[in-house]
């Protein structure tokens, strides 16, 4: 099923109440741990509960819980193995502590990037296992086993009990960003010349939605093989949204004189189509439309031609006015303003078209169609 397909009522309910659902799932995971402790009472079982809280508290999505659980499990195993080896083979207290400090310092040096949490866990696991170097490895092994059991419980509860999918959150944030951008463009076009409307709140909300999308990338990779294959595309899609937001920030700064009104109305007619296309795209991403809307074929060339015609008509109107005044004061500023505004709308069109193309690639990938069909889909 496509990531842009309409969500089921159950999935929609979970997403709308994800905070309550997440709290319930954390409680159930801890209940499972408490029940295991009540039945078998393994030593140091508190570490299992600590692990569940650390993994699930800040990561409600399934993919995030899997990612963090695996990193914690790998870090725990590596750190525990090194710590047990030190305790079992080295008798000198200072030599053990020297090797411990060396290992933790080396981990600190190489810790970076996606797997930084695994490095962190391995570092403090070594310290926990070695402790005061009393050569009792049973405590270290029990702690390791309990941490691993906590990882397993966290993964199972995240996967099978009211799963909260990062895919739905990502789609919601993408919809929110596109919808805000479409609304900013539409409001700007409806406003009078030289308006002082403030779009900062909406554009900041759109940017926040883009940043949230970026935070979900790792979780998306664990939840969807299709999105994992197109992880570079997800990053590009976020960057193109940022470009659109940047262009929209320039719109309120544009100003023109009353005599330029006709030319700007022609250009704004083109821009209003872009707002419509963005709104259609937001509806598709939200699951309100079954098929990806199509842009006019050769949109970029068509807009370039129409904008050039609007500029040409503006030049004709300007030539019928007072030539002396135009030569001294008006011609150059107006021409620059019109050309700059036309360039801005033209760049918006290119950005919207690029956004469509990336979303089309993702949709076609989910439908298991060849990537070559993207052009055909756009033309249809």
């Amino acid at each position: 099923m496509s990531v842009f397909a309409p969500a089921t009522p159950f999935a929609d309910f979970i997403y709308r109440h994800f905070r309550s659902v997440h709290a319930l799932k954390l409680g159930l995971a801890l209940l499972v741990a408490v029940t295991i402790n009540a039945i078998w009472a393994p030593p140091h079982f508190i570490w299992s509960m600590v692990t569940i809280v650390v993994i699930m508290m800040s990561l409600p999505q399934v993919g995030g819980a899997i990612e963090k659980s695996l990193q914690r499990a790998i870090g725990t195993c590596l750190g525990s193995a090194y710590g047990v080896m030190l305790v079992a083979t080295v008798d000198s207290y200072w030599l053990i502590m020297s090797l411990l400090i060396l290992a933790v310092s080396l981990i600190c040096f190489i810790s970076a990037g996606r797997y930084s949490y695994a490095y962190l866990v391995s570092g403090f696991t070594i310290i926990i296992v070695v402790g005061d170097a009393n050569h009792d490895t049973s405590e270290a092994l029990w702690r390791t086993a309990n941490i691993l059991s906590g990882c397993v419980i966290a993964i199972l509860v995240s996967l099978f009990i009211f799963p909260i999918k990062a895919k739905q959150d990502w789609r919601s944030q993408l919809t929110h960003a596109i919808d805000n951008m479409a609304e900013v463009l539409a409001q700007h076009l409806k406003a009078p010349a030289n308006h002082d409307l403030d779009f900062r709140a909406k554009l900041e909300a759109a940017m926040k939605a883009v940043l949230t999308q970026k935070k979900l990338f790792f979780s998306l990779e664990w939840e969807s093989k299709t999105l994992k294959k197109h992880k570079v595309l997800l990053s590009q899609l976020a960057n193109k949204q940022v470009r659109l937001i940047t262009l929209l920030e320039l719109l309120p700064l544009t100003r023109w004189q009353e005599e330029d009104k006709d030319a700007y109305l022609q250009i704004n007619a083109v821009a209003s189509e872009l707002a419509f296309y963005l709104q259609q795209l937001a509806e598709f991403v939200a699951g309100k439309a079954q098929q990806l809307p199509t842009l006019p074929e050769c949109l970029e060339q068509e807009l370039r031609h129409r904008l050039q015609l609007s500029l040409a008509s503006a030049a004709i109107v300007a030539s019928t006015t007072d030539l002396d005044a135009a030569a001294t004061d008006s011609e150059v500023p107006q021409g620059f303003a019109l050309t700059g505004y036309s360039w801005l709308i033209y760049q918006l069109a290119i950005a919207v078209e690029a956004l469509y193309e990336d979303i089309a690639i993702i949709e076609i990938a989910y439908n298991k169609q060849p990537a070559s069909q993207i052009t055909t889909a756009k033309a249809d």
Side-chain angles (χ1 to χ4, degrees):
M1 179 182 294
S2 172
V3 69
F4 303 121
T8 63
F10 180 68
D12 186 61
F13 173 83
I14 290 177
Y15 183 72
R16 285 188 290 108
H17 302 88
F18 83 94
R19 292 184 181 276
S20 300
V21 172
H22 183 219
L24 175 63
K25 291 175 64 173
L26 178 59
L28 289 174
L30 290 174
L31 179 61
V32 171
V34 169
T35 303
I36 293 174
N37 187 40
I39 296 174
W40 288 289
H44 308 291
F45 198 74
I46 191 66
W47 282 100
S48 179
M49 299 179 69
V50 169
T51 299
I52 291 171
V53 172
V54 169
I55 291 174
M56 296 185 65
M57 180 71 79
S58 59
L59 293 170
Q61 295 88 4
V62 172
I66 295 175
E67 167 90 8
K68 197 165 187 177
S69 294
L70 291 177
Q71 289 203 37
R72 188 172 181 88
I74 293 171
T76 298
C77 290
L78 293 176
S80 178
Y82 183 79
V84 170
M85 183 270 294
L86 288 181
V87 172
T89 59
V90 181
D91 293 328
S92 169
Y93 171 82
W94 286 108
L95 181 56
I96 289 179
M97 290 305 170
S98 298
L99 292 173
L100 181 151
I101 293 172
L102 178 63
V104 174
S105 299
L106 179 61
I107 290 172
C108 177
F109 177 75
I110 64 177
S111 175
R114 177 171 182 171
Y115 303 104
S116 58
Y117 182 67
Y119 290 117
L120 171 66
V121 172
S122 63
F124 70 69
T125 300
I126 293 173
I127 297 174
I128 291 172
V129 169
V130 173
D132 58 357
N134 60 8
H135 293 73
D136 182 8
T137 59
S138 62
E139 181 177 345
L141 294 176
W142 273 115
R143 285 178 176 176
T144 301
N146 288 326
I147 290 174
L148 294 178
S149 69
C151 293
V152 172
I153 292 172
I155 291 176
L156 293 178
V157 171
S158 297
L159 275 173
F160 300 111
I161 300 179
F162 305 130
I164 302 172
K165 297 296 184 67
K167 290 188 296 184
Q168 191 165 359
D169 194 11
W170 173 78
R171 185 178 77 170
S172 177
Q173 297 298 332
L174 179 59
T175 302
H176 187 57
I178 298 175
D179 195 49
N180 272 280
M181 289 187 284
E183 191 171 345
V184 167
L185 182 56
Q187 288 183 2
H188 169 76
L189 297 174
K190 292 177 182 178
N194 303 318
H195 66 79
D196 57 352
L197 295 179
D198 189 356
F199 300 124
R200 282 179 298 178
K202 289 188 176 298
L203 291 176
E204 287 175 359
M207 184 62 76
K208 184 178 179 181
V210 175
L211 295 176
T212 303
Q213 293 172 45
K214 292 184 176 182
K215 293 178 182 178
L216 295 170
F217 286 171
F218 290 155
S219 298
L220 291 172
E221 290 182 28
W222 285 101
E223 291 184 13
S224 171
K225 292 182 179 179
T226 302
L227 293 179
K228 185 176 182 178
K229 292 178 181 178
H230 293 82
K231 57 184 179 181
V232 175
L233 185 65
L234 294 178
S235 180
Q236 292 176 354
L237 185 62
N239 293 335
K240 289 174 182 178
Q241 293 173 70
V242 173
R243 181 168 182 264
L244 256 175
I245 293 171
T246 303
L247 291 170
L248 290 171
E249 286 178 337
L250 299 176
L251 279 179
L253 304 178
T254 56
R255 296 290 183 268
W256 60 86
Q257 304 299 322
E258 186 63 27
E259 56 266 26
D260 302 322
K261 183 177 180 181
D262 292 339
Y264 275 100
L265 288 177
Q266 295 181 49
I267 297 174
N268 286 349
V270 176
S272 63
E273 296 181 25
L274 297 178
F276 174 72
Y277 296 143
L278 275 175
Q279 190 59 53
Q280 280 193 322
L281 186 61
E283 291 179 0
F284 169 75
V285 172
K288 297 178 181 178
Q290 294 184 350
Q291 293 185 342
L292 177 67
T294 56
L295 292 174
E297 190 175 2
C298 301
L299 172 67
E300 181 180 336
Q301 291 83 350
E302 180 184 345
L303 288 178
R304 182 188 302 170
H305 177 67
R306 291 172 61 181
L307 291 171
Q308 287 173 345
L309 288 178
S310 67
L311 289 174
S313 64
I316 294 174
V317 172
S319 65
T320 60
T321 59
D322 189 351
L323 296 179
D324 293 335
T328 54
D329 299 317
S330 303
E331 253 184 15
V332 174
Q334 288 178 18
F336 176 79
L338 285 170
T339 304
Y341 189 67
S342 300
W343 176 88
L344 181 59
I345 300 302
Y346 177 59
Q347 293 299 319
L348 279 171
I350 295 176
V352 170
E353 193 172 35
L355 208 61
Y356 262 79
E357 288 178 357
D358 285 354
I359 292 176
I361 293 174
I362 295 174
E363 175 66 8
I364 290 173
Y366 267 98
N367 293 331
K368 301 185 184 303
Q369 299 174 3
S372 59
Q373 294 190 14
I374 297 172
T375 306
T376 305
K378 284 176 60 183
D380 293 342

